Amino acid sequence: MTSIVEALVPGGKANPGPPLGPALGPLGVNIKDVVEKINAKTRDYNGMQVPVKIIVDDKKNVEIEVGTPPTASLVMKELGIQKGSGNAGSEVVGNLTIPQIAKIARMKKEDVLSYDLKATMKEVMGTCVPMGVNVEGMKAKDCQKALDEGKFDDLLASEEW
């Protein structure tokens, strides 16, 4: 029978302790090897929480699938901050540009329900609202409206989905 373990681990810094060790121990796999493989696959997401899925089959073969970190983590990494605003209505912790929003949207492409770049960018901006992050110097909600009105179409012409 195939077993699946899903966990949120720090990128490139997973360890055999919880949540991985206790979940993998009963499956009879070499935990150290699995952790090393996870760290190799998540190295690019250093400093972010990364969802991983570990699939162990009957013959103890291990397959590791790495998901995309949450949008909020990607926004914080892009801004170089540790956390969002605790008071989003009045405190602004950073400002993203449209190209930065497009970059995050492309990273999340596989995990969203949107069919195009603009719609995914609006989802990313929606994550910025409770975090107290502005986009192009305006509140994220206002920037979503501006995106709908075509104000950034010239910037997005060079962006590919």
Side-chain angles (χ1 to χ4, degrees):
M1 188 173 105
T2 302
S3 299
I4 298 174
V5 174
E6 294 185 50
L8 207 57
V9 300
K13 293 188 173 123
N15 62 53
L20 294 177
L24 294 173
L27 301 179
V29 295
N30 185 329
I31 297 171
K32 183 176 181 268
D33 287 348
V34 173
V35 168
E36 286 174 3
K37 287 179 186 175
I38 290 171
N39 286 338
K41 287 188 169 201
T42 62
R43 189 174 301 122
D44 292 341
Y45 297 118
N46 190 12
M48 291 188 262
Q49 293 288 79
V50 184
V52 293
K53 185 186 286 187
I54 304 139
I55 303 160
V56 181
D57 67 14
D58 295 335
K59 297 177 181 163
K60 309 288 184 226
N61 295 321
V62 177
E63 182 183 333
I64 298 166
E65 294 178 4
V66 177
T68 309
T71 305
S73 295
L74 295 172
V75 167
M76 288 187 290
K77 176 136 176 121
E78 196 65 31
L79 287 170
I81 59 176
Q82 295 298 313
K83 62 181 192 139
S85 170
N87 195 0
S90 59
E91 181 186 346
V92 176
V93 295
N95 184 55
L96 289 174
T97 64
I98 287 296
Q100 287 175 308
I101 293 286
K103 175 183 169 188
I104 295 168
R106 281 192 302 279
M107 290 172 135
K108 294 298 289 183
K109 181 179 183 177
E110 303 301 318
D111 299 331
V112 296
L113 298 174
S114 303
Y115 295 114
D116 64 8
L117 180 61
K118 264 189 175 180
T120 307
M121 288 173 64
K122 285 175 59 180
E123 284 189 42
V124 173
M125 288 182 214
T127 301
C128 293
V129 173
M131 293 178 68
V133 174
N134 285 349
V135 181
E136 292 290 338
M138 58 182 101
K139 290 188 182 290
K141 283 184 178 183
D142 296 335
C143 196
Q144 285 175 324
K145 289 176 190 159
L147 185 67
D148 281 340
E149 293 166 1
K151 290 198 168 116
F152 302 108
D153 286 352
D154 54 331
L155 280 172
L156 294 175
S158 62
E159 298 286 342
E160 60 182 65
W161 177 237

